[in-house]
Amino acid sequence: MDIDLLKTFVEVVRTRHFGKAAENLYITQSAVSFRIRQLEQGLGVNLFIRQRNNIQLTAPGERLLPHAQMIITGMQRAKVDVALADNMHKQISLAGTPNIWDAFLQFGITNIVSAMPGISLVAEVKAQQESTRLLLERTLDLAVLFDPPKVDELVVERICELPIIPVSAFEGASSENFFDNQYVYVDWGTTFSLWHAREFNGHAPPYFRTSTGRIALDLILQCGGSAFIPKVLVKSSLENDELYHVQGVAQTSRDIFVAYHRDNEQKPLLEKLVSLLTALQDKI
């Protein structure tokens, strides 16, 4: 069975749309339709009930889906294992959001590599939803996240707490003018957004919004301003009097979680990786 036919089938199931599946696979919509017909002809069944703007799986399609996902994952794993360097025995894929990398993972990645000889580590930047999907598809081994996915198939563990403090580039900044001096709002996840809305309701809108802490930090260092930034990211700037910790403004923290599939065959290695990540608490 052609693996491309199965990949196309899984993508149509995920998007419930032939056109969107074509875009994601970088092929034409007619090519998607042709591949699905080939797969249906080869199996001798209809896989989809096709209605306008409503594509649903048939009963045979429902039964095929877990097998297709398993075959695709197995092929991807096989390619990875065959391609490993001679001195590497296993490969682990690790993903985090940009903020997770900036405020947490970058401070321990060298320790992780040195502590796991013979392991080929693939480190990637992925959005929260994409990481969760890849974990379920078993094409990603471990995700480091602010907002833990609530999915039964995944093991989720809290590994540490990240302090986030109010800082300003203006030495005279206070609780009275913190939000009035070019305040930059950084999206540190759902829990932070709820806390921020509760604590600071009624203040003027932010001067700038971003989903990445590094962008906010660079901006206020160069142009002035204030923001909530992880303490570990601004440590040197505070010591050099480039930024100032604004007393009197409430501060918060974010829990950091790891997630991996319950049935991951590399569970002992993942548990070791989790312990190494947990040890990073001392650095933040």
Side-chain angles (χ1 to χ4, degrees), residues 14-227:
R14 191 180 71 83
T15 60
R16 300 289 173 163
H17 195 283
F18 277 50
K20 291 179 181 178
E23 291 177 7
N24 294 342
L25 294 169
Y26 299 100
I27 59 177
T28 64
Q29 185 169 335
S30 60
V32 169
S33 298
F34 179 72
R35 288 181 181 182
I36 296 300
R37 283 199 303 273
Q38 276 189 300
L39 187 58
E40 289 177 328
Q41 291 170 2
L43 295 171
V45 296
N46 291 324
L47 299 173
F48 294 101
I49 300 171
R50 298 167 175 82
Q51 298 176 348
R52 187 175 182 180
N53 298 323
N54 184 20
I55 297 177
Q56 300 294 326
L57 279 171
T58 61
E62 294 279 4
R63 291 193 292 270
L64 175 62
L65 182 58
H67 296 291
Q69 292 170 326
M70 188 180 303
I71 292 169
I72 293 168
T73 300
M75 285 295 295
Q76 291 170 332
R77 284 287 187 186
K79 288 180 181 179
V80 166
D81 288 340
V82 170
L84 283 178
D86 292 340
N87 63 330
M88 297 294 178
H89 309 299
K90 293 284 186 179
Q91 178 168 277
I92 293 178
S93 54
L94 166 71
T97 63
N99 278 333
I100 287 287
W101 277 105
D102 286 343
F104 180 67
L105 284 176
Q106 66 162 320
F107 298 101
I109 196 67
T110 54
N111 292 344
I112 292 170
V113 172
S114 61
M116 302 183 74
I119 303 300
S120 174
L121 186 66
V122 178
E124 300 179 292
V125 177
K126 300 286 185 184
Q128 165 101 14
Q129 290 183 341
E130 184 181 9
S131 291
T132 302
R133 177 174 63 82
L134 293 174
L135 287 173
L136 293 173
E137 293 175 357
R138 305 193 198 185
T139 54
L140 176 67
D141 291 309
L142 189 78
V144 187
L145 308 161
F146 280 134
D147 297 309
K150 297 178 180 180
V151 182
D152 291 340
E153 292 91 336
L154 301 182
V155 175
V156 178
E157 298 180 23
R158 176 190 178 276
I159 58 171
C160 66
E161 183 179 10
L162 180 71
I164 299 176
I165 64 174
V167 296
S168 175
F170 305 116
E171 186 173 2
S174 65
S175 58
E176 287 75 25
N177 59 23
F178 178 77
F179 293 96
D180 300 323
N181 286 332
Q182 299 180 182
Y183 174 62
V184 178
Y185 177 86
V186 186
D187 182 2
W188 293 108
T190 303
T191 301
F192 174 84
S193 297
L194 294 173
W195 172 83
H196 192 281
R198 183 177 64 251
E199 290 286 332
F200 308 112
N201 184 34
H203 283 282
Y207 158 74
F208 188 87
R209 287 179 178 266
T210 177
S211 61
T212 307
R214 179 62 64 181
I215 292 176
L217 178 57
D218 290 345
L219 180 64
I220 64 176
L221 284 173
Q222 294 179 38
C223 303
S226 58

